[in-house]
Amino acid sequence: MASLFANPAGRNFLGNSAEWYKLTILAFLIINPILFFAVDTYVAGWALVLEFIFTLAMALKCYPLQPGGLLALEAVAIGMTSPDTVWHELEMGLQVIMLLVFMVAGIYFMKSMLLFVFTKILVKVRNKVLLSLLFSFMAAFLSAFLDALTVTAVVIAISVGFYSIYHKVASGKDFHHDHDHMHDGELDKLSEDDLEGFRAFLRSLMMHAAVGTALGGVMTLVGEPQNLMIGDRANWEFVEFFWRMLPVTLPVLIAGLITCAMLEVTGILGYGAKIPPKVLNILQDYDVYQSERRTSRDKAALVVQGIVAVWLIVGLLFHMAEVGLIGLSVIVLATAFTGVTEEHQIGHAFEEALPFTSLLVVFFAVVGVISDNGLFTPVTEFVLGLDGHGQITALYVANGVLSAISDNVFVATVYVSETAKALADGIITRDAFDLMAVAINTGTNIPSVATPNGQAAFLFLLTSALAPLIRLSYMTMVKMALPYTIVMSIVGYLGVAYLLEPMTDKLYESHFIEHHHEKVGEPKDAGEH
């Protein structure tokens, strides 16, 4: 079989992926039609879902768009789902697609301001515990109003920038010299210990920030892609979504920040590393160097970006338009008033989001397979057959486990579709749907910090140019995320089990009126808990 990939066509298939991976994908493509036509459509459907989850888990071998896309195309070709079903799922998820395309691109034009803020924090705050808390909280706050993937990209850019600056000076060069920070050949031997200490410092800081994006991302309508999908199905606007989630997300946020501080104090599992004094001196000198070189136009651009950030928050808070349209307005304002007018300059902004947007479309195709073949019907019937909080906690646990091993957007898409269908069919009441939507959102966002493939922001960090520089491997991320996973998952479960229903009712009655709930199914007062 090895000779299969010896010819040019074989080598081109999935590029530089390992041969065993290529063979596995080929085996999937061969076995699926056999299962579908000769065995059972239900079995074939589940096989496809598990194969797709495999491509997500193996994202470091090959980006899931290509192998997952081949599986989805085959599913449509052999009749496991239809183009009409896929298009219907896309229409239901249009807001999420608009979020990814325009909001992430919009934030690209605000990076200078965000970099400026994070840079000042890094060089001014000396206490590592306080610095870690600030990075985690800032990442959480920004992710609540922007997007976790974009915030992670900003923090990565900061870390790569500072790493390259120290690496350049430690290699005997000045700030203005060209330098390749990927290679250590010119590094001063006396600086290697400082470099290792700096790597450990950045690893811990990046993990705190990455978890921070999850802490903030779960709280609002735009924090994660699936939030918008869930909010759309439930007909919740920005403020209502926030209050609905608060009984679970606020305790988790507090627990996450406490965990951050305790990890730095105890220094376990790779945390607690402080920035070496020599490195700090170099970074402070560089900050002064950059400040002196900043022109009046640069300063004006920072002010404009700050004003646009305020508009973004206000626009989302009061739901002045759909999220994607607000993102588009950010692109227009942030470029028109900062001198970005050429097409190729604007084009770069869309590079980060479009691969994941394309992958999301493949998600919807797989959801179409699940829907057309009733794959989740037994699981849904089991959950819906439980009484009271048994339904809600079962959804939280099921979504948490699946999100940790696959991808939280995929899992949320499947479960919110199933619960919305149950509502439309009259199997559950509107009240029950509201509680289930909260359980799905928190279940997919909180325990998914366990692995890099659980959250797009974590996977983005792992596959970034920064990860090899600071020696951040898959297992290192799993190990460093473990305390967060345990604490946040347990606190989230307790919030779902004991706080969700009574607190949600009180918050809702205090802040909202009934007409918000006419879109999905029956009115809010049509059923009892």
Side-chain angles (χ1 to χ4, degrees):
M1 290 294 289
S3 60
L4 183 65
F5 302 108
N7 61 75
R11 288 197 297 271
N12 285 341
F13 177 67
L14 298 183
N16 295 323
S17 304
E19 287 193 3
W20 69 264
Y21 183 84
K22 296 182 180 184
L23 287 171
T24 302
I25 299 301
L26 280 177
F28 290 162
L29 295 171
I30 293 170
I31 199 173
N32 287 339
I34 298 173
L35 291 175
F36 185 71
F37 292 111
V39 181
D40 183 74
T41 57
Y42 186 82
V43 172
W46 264 111
L48 183 87
V49 171
L50 294 175
E51 290 161 5
F52 185 69
I53 291 174
F54 170 82
T55 66
L56 296 176
M58 295 288 108
L60 291 182
K61 301 296 181 184
C62 178
Y63 191 68
L65 175 62
Q66 290 78 24
L70 289 174
L71 293 171
L73 286 171
E74 182 183 64
V76 173
I78 65 177
M80 296 176 77
T81 188
S82 67
D84 288 340
T85 299
V86 176
W87 184 250
H88 173 71
E89 296 295 340
L90 283 174
E91 288 179 327
M92 297 298 291
L94 181 61
Q95 281 192 321
V96 181
I97 294 172
M98 292 280 284
L99 165 72
L100 290 172
V101 172
F102 292 121
M103 188 64 79
V104 175
I107 305 308
Y108 176 88
F109 296 108
M110 294 165 57
K111 272 188 178 180
S112 297
M113 182 268 297
L114 295 171
L115 285 167
F116 175 80
V117 173
F118 274 98
T119 298
K120 292 300 181 184
I121 292 173
L122 187 60
V123 299
K124 299 294 184 184
V125 179
R126 304 293 181 86
N127 185 289
K128 179 63 185 306
V129 176
L130 180 58
L131 179 64
S132 299
L133 284 171
L134 281 172
F135 257 68
S136 185
F137 180 79
M138 286 291 292
F141 179 79
L142 290 172
S143 295
F145 289 99
L146 309 180
D147 173 78
L149 192 66
T150 306
V151 175
T152 303
V154 171
V155 181
I156 288 171
I158 296 165
S159 296
V160 170
F162 279 116
Y163 180 91
S164 64
I165 291 303
Y166 173 71
H167 199 278
K168 180 187 295 186
V169 174
S171 300
K173 299 179 180 179
D174 292 327
F175 293 139
H176 62 278
H177 287 156
D178 292 330
H179 179 67
D180 184 0
H181 58 266
M182 301 296 291
H183 300 288
D184 296 341
E186 301 176 24
L187 199 65
D188 181 358
K189 295 297 181 183
L190 297 176
S191 301
E192 288 184 358
D193 288 342
D194 286 333
L195 181 59
E196 287 303 317
F198 191 33
R199 283 170 173 157
F201 171 81
L202 289 177
R203 277 197 301 272
S204 61
L205 215 54
M206 287 305 304
M207 286 303 297
H208 290 313
V211 173
T213 64
L215 291 171
V218 67
M219 300 185 81
T220 66
L221 192 65
V222 297
E224 295 280 355
Q226 71 268 29
N227 298 20
L228 193 58
M229 194 181 313
I230 293 167
D232 183 55
R233 295 293 180 93
N235 195 26
W236 294 339
E237 295 181 357
F238 189 91
V239 177
E240 180 173 0
F241 187 98
F242 173 80
W243 285 109
R244 286 285 185 185
M245 299 299 157
L246 199 63
V248 182
T249 57
L250 182 58
V252 169
L253 174 63
I254 295 170
L257 294 176
I258 292 173
T259 303
C260 172
M262 293 305 297
L263 287 172
E264 285 300 322
V265 171
T266 59
I268 61 172
L269 298 176
Y271 291 99
K274 295 178 172 59
I275 187 168
K278 291 182 181 178
V279 179
L280 179 61
N281 290 337
I282 290 172
L283 297 184
Q284 288 173 333
D285 290 344
Y286 180 74
D287 182 46
V288 173
Y289 172 77
Q290 283 290 87
S291 297
E292 292 173 348
R293 288 167 55 88
R294 190 170 289 120
T295 65
S296 56
R297 286 191 64 183
D298 294 332
K299 293 175 182 177
L302 289 176
V303 172
V304 168
Q305 290 172 24
I307 294 171
V308 173
V310 173
W311 147 245
L312 171 62
I313 293 172
V314 172
L316 292 173
L317 204 58
F318 294 100
H319 198 71
M320 293 182 175
E322 293 298 335
V323 174
L325 295 179
I326 293 176
L328 181 58
S329 73
V330 167
I331 295 175
V332 173
L333 294 171
T335 55
F337 292 97
T338 58
V340 179
T341 56
E342 296 183 20
E343 183 179 358
H344 74 274
Q345 291 176 298
I346 298 172
H348 289 306
F350 294 89
E351 292 175 359
E352 291 178 0
L354 286 182
F356 190 73
T357 306
S358 303
L359 180 59
L360 188 65
V361 174
V362 175
F363 286 168
F364 290 133
V366 177
V367 171
V369 172
I370 293 170
S371 176
D372 285 351
N373 295 276
L375 301 187
F376 275 59
T377 300
V379 178
T380 305
E381 289 178 349
F382 170 76
V383 171
L384 298 179
L386 298 173
D387 294 327
H389 274 300
Q391 291 181 332
I392 312 305
T393 54
L395 271 178
Y396 175 84
V397 172
N399 279 269
V401 171
L402 288 174
S403 295
I405 61 175
S406 58
D407 179 271
N408 57 4
V409 178
F410 171 62
V411 175
T413 303
V414 170
Y415 271 95
V416 76
S417 298
E418 290 297 314
T419 51
K421 184 174 182 293
L423 174 64
D425 293 342
I427 298 172
I428 59 175
T429 66
R430 175 66 216 205
D431 289 328
F433 177 84
D434 288 340
L435 297 175
M436 287 180 175
V438 177
I440 293 169
N441 185 66
T442 53
T444 54
N445 275 302
I446 295 170
S448 56
V449 301
T451 64
N453 41 284
Q455 293 218 8
F458 278 49
L459 190 60
F460 184 64
L461 171 59
L462 181 64
T463 56
S464 69
L466 176 66
L469 296 180
I470 62 175
R471 310 299 188 256
L472 187 63
S473 66
Y474 185 98
M475 289 311 300
T476 300
M477 287 189 72
V478 171
K479 178 189 73 175
M480 296 183 75
L482 183 61
Y484 280 114
T485 304
I486 294 171
V487 173
M488 290 165 57
S489 299
I490 292 174
V491 173
Y493 177 85
L494 295 174
V496 169
Y498 298 107
L499 299 177
L500 180 58
E501 185 170 2
M503 286 189 66
T504 301
D505 288 344
K506 290 178 182 178
L507 290 171
Y508 178 82
E509 290 168 4
S510 300
H511 293 273
F512 306 106
I513 56 178
E514 304 298 320
H515 75 265
H516 285 292
H517 296 274
E518 296 170 357
K519 182 178 178 181
V520 176
E522 60 185 349
K524 176 76 170 63
D525 57 0
E528 297 296 326
H529 288 297

